[in-house]
C-alpha cells in the first residue's frame, strides 16, 4: 500500500493535480465534499479512484494531500470531527496545498504533531494551466525529511519545487508571491489605461515594454487581456482577495504598512462591488476599477 | 559626409551610445555642455571626435542625435539661440533620446518642421548596461521615412527598436514603460519587507517567485539589491521622479487618476527627502521608504 495516497479537495486545481499523480502510477483515493464537480471528473478520467467519504480516501494512504480553500476548510478537512487526522495511520504525512497563511499552517502542524502526524504546508502557484501541465510552483514549509518523502509526488505535479524553511515558510513565500502579482497588475492597468488615453496600440506596450526593464510574466500573459477587457479567469478575484486578506493580517501582526497591497486590495474590492460576476472574473478584471 | 553624425549630450548613456555609433564606422562629432565627464571619455576612447561647440558638432552632420535630460535642456540644445536648428542644413533629421513627454516632443517637432527639419522622438530604456552593450530598447515616434533613415544608427545602439506611431508616440510608450517599472518596484519592496518580517531568505523569493506568475525583470535584477540595501544606481531616483512627473502631467490632462503612480511617486519623494545621497541612488532605493 506504500504507493497509495489520498487527495482531498478535487476542485479544478486539485482535480488536475490528483490526475497527474494517477498518471505517474500512484493509487490515488480522491474525495471531494461536493461529488459533481469538474475537477472530480478530470481526476476520475485520469484514473483517480473517487471515494464517497473522507474516511475511505485517507484509509491506507501513505500521504494525504489536501487542496481546499480557506483556513476553516483546511481545519475541517484535516482536524475536524471527521477529518483526516482521525483516520490517518500514525506517522502519516499530510501535505496541504491551500493558501492559508503561516500562522494557520503552524497551528495545524502542531495539532497534527500532537497526534503523531507530520505536516508540510505547500501552497502553489501557476494557475489551472500549471496544474494541468504539471508545471506548478510549489512552495514548501516543513522538515527536510518530510520534504524528501513528498518530493516524488511533488515532481508529478510541479516544476519549481522548493523547501523554503520550517512549517509556515511555504505560506510565507506564497504571501510575497501574491504581493508581487497584485502590484504587477496595478502597473499593467495604469500603463494600459494611459496607453489608451494616448491613443497607443496595447500590443505595442506588451511587445516593447515586455522585452526590457518593465517586463513581467503578468505583462506578457495578462497585458492584452487587461487592455481588451478579456476577464476570463486564470486566477479569480475572490481568491486574490482571500490571499491579500491574509497578507494584510500578517503585515498587521508585524506592524508593517504595505500601502501598495492596500491599494491593490481596494481596487479588487471596488471591482467586486460592481456586479455579481466580478468575484469570479480573473484578477486582470482589476482594470474595471479604472473604467468605473 | 553622408556618414557624419552629431551626438549632443555625452552623459553616461549618451557616451556609450555615441561610442557604439563610432564603432560601427560612423564619423561621430560629439559635444557635451560640460567637457570633463565620464561619458565624454567613454565616447572619445571609442573614436568619437569630441568638439568644443555645438555648432562644430552639428555642422556637416546628416543626422543629429541628442540625449540630454529634461524638457528645457532639449529645447535649449535643439531650438535655443545656439541650438542645433540654427546650424543644421535643411532636411537634416534630428533624433532626441531624452524622456520629455509627448506634448514637448510634438511642440519641438513642429518648431523644427517650421525650419524645414525633421524630428523623431526616441526615448530609450535598458540603463547604462543596455547603452554600453548596444541592447537598448528604443521607442520611436515620427514619420516612417524618417524612422527608416534612422534605423541603421538605432541598430548600432539598441536591440528592440520600434516605430510606435506619429511624433510623440515614443514618449507615450516610454511613459507606460515607466509606470510599469515604478509599480513593479512597489511590489518588490513590499514582498521583500514582508519576507524579512517572516524570516525568509530573500534569495528564495527571487528564485521561487521569479519563475512563475509573479516574475519580472525587476524581481530578477533588483530583488536582491532591494533586500540587501545595494542602492548603486542603474537608473537614478532623480530620473524616475522626472519621468513620473511627466506621467502625472499626462494623466492630469487626460483626467485619469493613477493611484499606483501617485503612491510610487510619493515613496520616491520620501526617499529623496531622507538625505543628499538619495537622489542619485538607484530606483531600488525605494526600499528606504519602507525602512524609515
Amino acid at each position: 500500500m506504500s504507493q497509495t495516497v489520498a487527495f482531498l479537495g478535487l476542485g479544478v486545481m486539485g482535480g488536475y493535480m490528483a490526475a497527474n499523480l494517477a498518471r505517474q502510477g500512484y493509487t490515488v483515493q480522491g474525495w471531494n465534499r461536493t461529488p459533481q464537480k469538474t475537477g472530480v471528473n478530470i481526476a476520475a478520467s485520469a484514473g483517480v479512484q473517487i471515494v464517497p467519504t473522507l474516511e475511505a480516501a485517507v484509509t491506507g494512504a501513505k500521504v494525504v494531500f489536501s487542496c481546499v480553500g480557506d483556513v476553516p476548510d483546511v481545519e475541517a478537512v484535516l482536524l475536524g470531527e471527521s477529518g483526516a487526522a482521525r483516520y490517518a495511520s500514525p506517522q502519516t504525512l499530510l501535505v496541504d496545498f491551500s493558501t492559508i497563511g503561516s500562522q494557520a499552517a503552524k497551528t495545524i502542524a502542531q495539532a497534527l504533531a500532537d497526534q503523531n502526524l507530520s505536516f508540510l504546508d505547500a501552497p502553489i502557484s501557476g494557475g489551472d494551466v500549471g496544474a494541468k501541465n504539471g508545471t506548478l510552483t510549489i512552495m514548501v514549509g516543513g522538515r527536510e525529511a518530510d520534504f524528501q518523502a513528498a518530493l516524488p509526488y511533488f515532481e508529478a505535479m510541479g516544476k519549481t519545487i522548493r523547501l523554503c524553511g520550517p512549517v509556515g515558510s511555504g505560506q510565507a513565500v506564497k504571501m510575497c508571491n501574491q504581493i508581487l502579482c497584485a502590484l504587477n497588475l496595478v502597473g499593467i492597468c495604469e500603463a494600459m489605461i494611459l496607453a489608451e488615453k494616448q491613443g497607443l496600440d496595447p500590443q505595442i506596450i506588451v511587445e516593447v515594454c515586455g522585452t526590457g526593464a518593465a517586463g513581467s510574466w503578468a505583462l506578457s500573459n495578462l497585458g492584452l487581456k487587461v487592455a481588451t477587457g478579456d476577464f476570463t479567469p486564470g486566477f479569480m478575484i475572490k481568491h486574490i482577495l482571500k490571499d491579500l486578506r491574509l497578507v494584510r493580517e500578517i503585515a498587521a501582526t508585524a506592524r508593517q504598512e504595505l500601502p501598495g497591497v492596500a491599494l491593490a486590495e481596494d481596487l479588487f474590492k471596488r471591482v467586486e462591488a460592481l456586479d455579481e460576476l466580478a468575484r469570479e472574473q480573473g484578477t486582470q478584471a482589476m482594470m474595471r476599477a479604472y473604467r468605473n
Side-chain angles (χ1 to χ4, degrees), chain A residues 240-257:
Chain A
I240 192 100
L241 272 170
K242 182 200 75 174
D243 296 353
L244 293 181
R245 186 202 81 218
L246 293 166
V247 167
R248 177 162 37 82
E249 289 170 7
I250 293 162
T253 305
R255 296 189 186 174
Q256 177 61 53
E257 281 189 43

Side-chain angles (χ1 to χ4, degrees), chain A residues 172-239:
Chain A
V173 172
K174 178 72 187 281
M175 296 295 109
C176 299
N177 193 80
Q178 300 309 76
I179 292 174
L180 292 162
C181 290
L183 269 302
N184 289 354
L185 257 178
V186 174
I188 292 166
C189 289
E190 300 203 358
M192 284 302 182
I193 199 95
L194 204 69
E196 186 179 294
K197 300 278 181 182
Q198 295 180 109
L200 294 170
D201 176 357
Q203 182 69 38
I204 287 184
I205 304 298
V206 173
E207 287 174 15
V208 176
C209 303
T211 56
S216 65
W217 182 95
L219 180 61
S220 300
N221 289 276
L222 299 177
L224 269 190
K225 292 182 179 184
V226 164
T228 61
D230 173 0
F231 300 146
T232 314
F235 186 65
M236 289 180 189
I237 290 218
K238 68 178 177 185
H239 293 134

Side-chain angles (χ1 to χ4, degrees), chain A residues 5-27:
Chain A
V5 299
F7 208 110
L8 313 176
L10 301 170
V12 172
M13 298 294 288
Y16 282 126
M17 295 164 77
N20 281 328
L21 284 169
R23 284 195 197 95
Q24 286 296 311
Y26 297 112
T27 301

Side-chain angles (χ1 to χ4, degrees), chain A residues 95-106:
Chain A
V95 179
D96 181 54
F97 296 114
S98 319
T99 297
I100 56 174
S102 305
Q103 196 47 58
K106 287 178 193 166

Side-chain angles (χ1 to χ4, degrees), chain A residues 133-172:
Chain A
N133 298 336
T135 57
L136 292 169
T137 295
I138 309 180
M139 300 157 253
V140 189
R143 283 188 299 261
E144 174 72 32
D146 293 330
F147 176 72
Q148 292 302 335
L151 193 52
Y153 306 102
F154 287 150
E155 285 171 345
M157 298 178 270
K159 196 173 66 175
T160 303
I161 300 153
R162 181 77 181 257
L163 180 62
C164 303
V167 160
S169 300
Q171 296 292 336

